């Protein structure tokens, strides 16, 4: 399984995708856990690894894919060739129409989005399981695969975020953070969903990748926490984590070109990510409760709500963890769950703090 999400609002199209890939047996270079600490599982007689970038930027259009990767990639190859001669929707239709055997297309789901001058446009293939191309209407969403919980809670969050005055970059960061928080409190990797998520916004004029995000997994009452960063450069996703002190690079060669060339160009940038305080957003994912708290940083080292974390070594371990300083309102947001009045049950909570210049003392945590 996989989880690819696309929605349209105010002439923009947003796309998000996880990085989990299911194998009959894990490749020899696989890790036992994802960057977020999710454990690989074999509950479905298969194993899952975090290693795929499922959003593919073809220049004129960006595609989200799920299902059988070999089939989806053949469609992408045909689409790339068709884009030379015709507009994205016609190219998408031709790539699917000419695929043989047609029955294999039942094994994939795709969404394609592109800028079209006055607005961004998107359509999905097999989004509803009907084996057809369907336009993405404004204030609607395509949810490709995923559990019913993923689909329902995410749609609730999208409705809330789009009603706010948040910018497209802020909206995308909030939904990415919510998706990422699912795996902190339950191991969906055993269901084929999880790992690091990535996202993009298609505006009326361009395709824009997500901002740089530092995720911090925190538990109420703890001083030290884990951190994971996601950055996209030249269509390649870099994930760094203090859980095992690892760096993962994920790419689709159709959009990135030879990975060795990319690594050579970005080597020093990758090595310095954890000591670089320049992030667009810091997202706190609370373990134990479905709480997601997003703080906008705009690349600053400190704001009114947060001083960028310092990396510290854990005594007697090769792992790295984080020391934090945050405002009282952010601290409260990360520990106070949302309780439904009608049932008394805990509900997922998403809180966003817009960037404000540093002015006051912070609470040390």
């Amino acid at each position: 399984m996989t989880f690819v999400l696309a929605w349209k609002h105010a002439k923009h199209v947003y796309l998000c995708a996880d990085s989990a890939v299911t194998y009959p047996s894990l490749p020899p270079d696989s890790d036992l856990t994802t960057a977020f600490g999710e454990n690989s599982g074999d509950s479905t007689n298969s194993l899952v690894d975090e290693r795929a970038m499922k959003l593919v930027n073809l220049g004129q259009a960006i595609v989200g894919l799920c299902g059988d990767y070999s089939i989806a990639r053949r469609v992408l190859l045909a689409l790339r060739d068709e884009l030379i001669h015709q507009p994205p929707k016609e190219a998408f239709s031709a790539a699917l129409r000419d695929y043989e055997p047609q029955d294999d297309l039942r094994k994939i789901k795709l969404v394609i989005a592109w800028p079209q001058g006055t607005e961004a446009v998107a359509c999905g293939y097999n989004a509803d399981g009907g084996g057809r191309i369907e336009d993405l209407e404004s204030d609607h969403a395509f949810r490709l695969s995923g559990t019913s919980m993923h689909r329902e809670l995410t749609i609730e969050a999208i409705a809330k975020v789009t009603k706010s005055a948040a910018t497209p970059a802020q909206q995308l960061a909030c939904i990415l953070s919510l998706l990422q928080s699912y795996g902190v409190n339950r191991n969906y990797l055993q269901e084929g969903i999880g790992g690091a998520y990535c996202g993009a916004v298609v505006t009326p004029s361009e395709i824009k990748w997500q901002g740089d995000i530092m995720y911090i997994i925190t538990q109420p009452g703890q001083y030290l926490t884990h951190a994971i960063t996601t950055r996209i450069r030249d269509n390649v996703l870099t994930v760094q984590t203090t859980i095992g002190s690892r760096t993962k690079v994920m790419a689709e060669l159709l959009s990135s070109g030879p990975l060795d060339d990319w690594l050579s160009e970005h080597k020093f940038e990758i090595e310095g990510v954890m000591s670089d305080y320049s992030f667009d957003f810091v997202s706190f994912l609370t373990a134990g409760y479905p709480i997601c708290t997003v703080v906008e940083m705009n690349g600053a080292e400190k704001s009114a709500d947060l001083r960028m974390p310092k990396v510290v070594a854990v005594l007697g371990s090769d792992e790295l963890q984080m020391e934090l300083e945050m405002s009282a309102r952010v601290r409260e947001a990360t520990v106070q769950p949302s309780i439904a009045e009608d049932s008394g049950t805990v509900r997922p909570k998403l809180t966003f703090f817009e960037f404000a210049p540093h002015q006051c003392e912070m609470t040390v945590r």
Side-chain angles (χ1 to χ4, degrees):
M1 198 180 285
T2 258
F3 192 44
V4 175
L5 172 71
W7 73 97
K8 184 175 180 179
H9 176 72
K11 300 183 179 180
H12 291 68
V13 174
Y14 302 77
L15 301 99
C16 303
D18 72 344
S19 58
V21 180
T22 302
Y23 296 93
S25 61
L26 281 181
D29 60 341
S30 298
D31 295 308
L32 296 179
T33 61
T34 71
F36 287 82
E38 303 152 291
N39 294 316
S40 297
D42 58 358
S43 59
T44 58
N45 298 319
S46 58
L47 294 170
V48 185
D49 192 27
E50 170 192 52
R51 64 170 55 218
M53 192 168 182
K54 300 174 186 176
L55 298 183
V56 184
N57 185 359
L58 296 175
Q60 292 173 257
I62 185 169
V63 183
L65 58 94
C66 71
D68 188 302
Y69 178 74
S70 63
I71 297 172
R73 197 171 192 278
R74 282 182 58 196
V75 173
L76 289 181
L77 282 166
L79 172 60
R80 184 186 63 178
D81 294 340
E82 293 290 345
L83 284 169
I84 299 173
H85 310 290
Q86 51 189 327
K89 187 172 184 179
E90 289 77 2
F92 189 48
S93 178
L96 291 166
R97 183 187 63 240
D98 296 340
Y99 188 93
E100 293 293 344
Q102 282 282 301
D103 283 350
D104 280 357
L105 293 178
R106 298 177 183 178
K107 301 176 183 179
I108 63 171
K109 296 182 178 183
L110 304 170
V111 59
I112 179 174
W114 64 95
Q116 192 164 280
T118 58
E119 64 176 341
V121 180
C123 57
Y125 173 75
N126 210 24
D128 62 354
R132 62 177 181 271
I133 296 175
E134 179 183 0
D135 292 334
L136 178 60
E137 303 294 337
S138 185
D139 292 317
H140 285 73
F142 289 144
R143 295 152 291 175
L144 307 187
S145 199
T147 67
S148 59
M149 187 281 293
H150 280 82
R151 294 192 290 269
E152 293 167 8
L153 294 181
T154 304
I155 291 305
E156 289 179 18
I158 290 173
K160 177 182 177 181
V161 167
T162 54
K163 288 178 182 177
S164 70
T167 67
Q170 293 168 346
Q171 292 183 44
L172 180 61
C174 286
I175 299 302
L176 278 171
S177 299
L178 178 71
L179 295 173
Q180 205 68 76
S181 73
Y182 293 155
V184 171
N185 288 289
R186 178 175 168 181
N187 187 20
Y188 285 101
L189 206 67
Q190 293 186 358
E191 300 177 45
I193 303 167
Y197 281 77
C198 66
V201 179
V202 183
T203 76
S205 59
E206 63 178 330
I207 298 169
K208 298 180 66 174
W209 287 112
Q210 66 176 72
D212 296 342
I213 304 176
M214 173 177 276
Y215 296 99
I216 299 176
I217 300 176
T218 182
Q219 293 182 355
Q222 284 200 348
Y223 181 67
L224 295 175
T225 58
H226 281 296
I228 305 95
T229 68
T230 62
R231 291 184 171 187
I232 299 177
R233 298 290 185 273
D234 296 333
N235 302 322
V236 176
L237 172 64
T238 300
V239 183
Q240 289 196 302
T241 177
T242 60
I243 301 175
S245 302
R246 292 171 286 155
T247 298
K248 291 191 173 185
V249 176
M250 288 177 262
E252 166 49 59
L253 296 184
L254 286 176
S255 59
S256 68
L259 198 52
D260 286 345
D261 294 345
W262 186 93
L263 289 168
S264 177
E265 181 177 350
H266 294 274
K267 176 182 178 181
F268 295 107
E269 182 181 15
I270 293 173
E271 292 176 347
V273 165
M274 277 300 184
S275 59
D276 179 359
Y277 297 146
S278 179
F279 288 90
D280 298 295
F281 301 94
V282 174
S283 297
F284 295 91
L285 312 179
T286 303
Y289 292 102
I291 300 173
C292 177
T293 309
V294 184
V295 181
E296 186 177 35
M297 293 301 293
N298 285 350
E301 185 174 341
K302 56 185 178 181
S303 71
D305 288 299
L306 179 68
R307 187 188 303 274
M308 283 302 298
K310 297 179 180 179
V311 179
V312 296
V314 179
L315 188 63
S317 169
D318 61 354
E319 290 193 349
L320 302 174
Q321 290 184 320
M322 315 299 288
E323 289 182 351
L324 309 176
E325 293 182 47
M326 65 180 74
S327 67
R329 67 175 187 164
V330 172
R331 181 179 60 82
E332 182 179 0
T334 64
V335 300
Q336 186 63 45
S338 177
I339 308 296
E341 294 182 2
D342 56 344
S343 63
T345 59
V346 176
R347 295 289 296 164
K349 185 179 75 169
L350 172 62
T351 309
F352 174 74
F353 295 97
E354 190 173 2
F355 176 79
H358 175 69
Q359 297 174 340
C360 58
E361 292 298 322
M362 298 182 185
T363 301
V364 177
R365 179 190 173 106

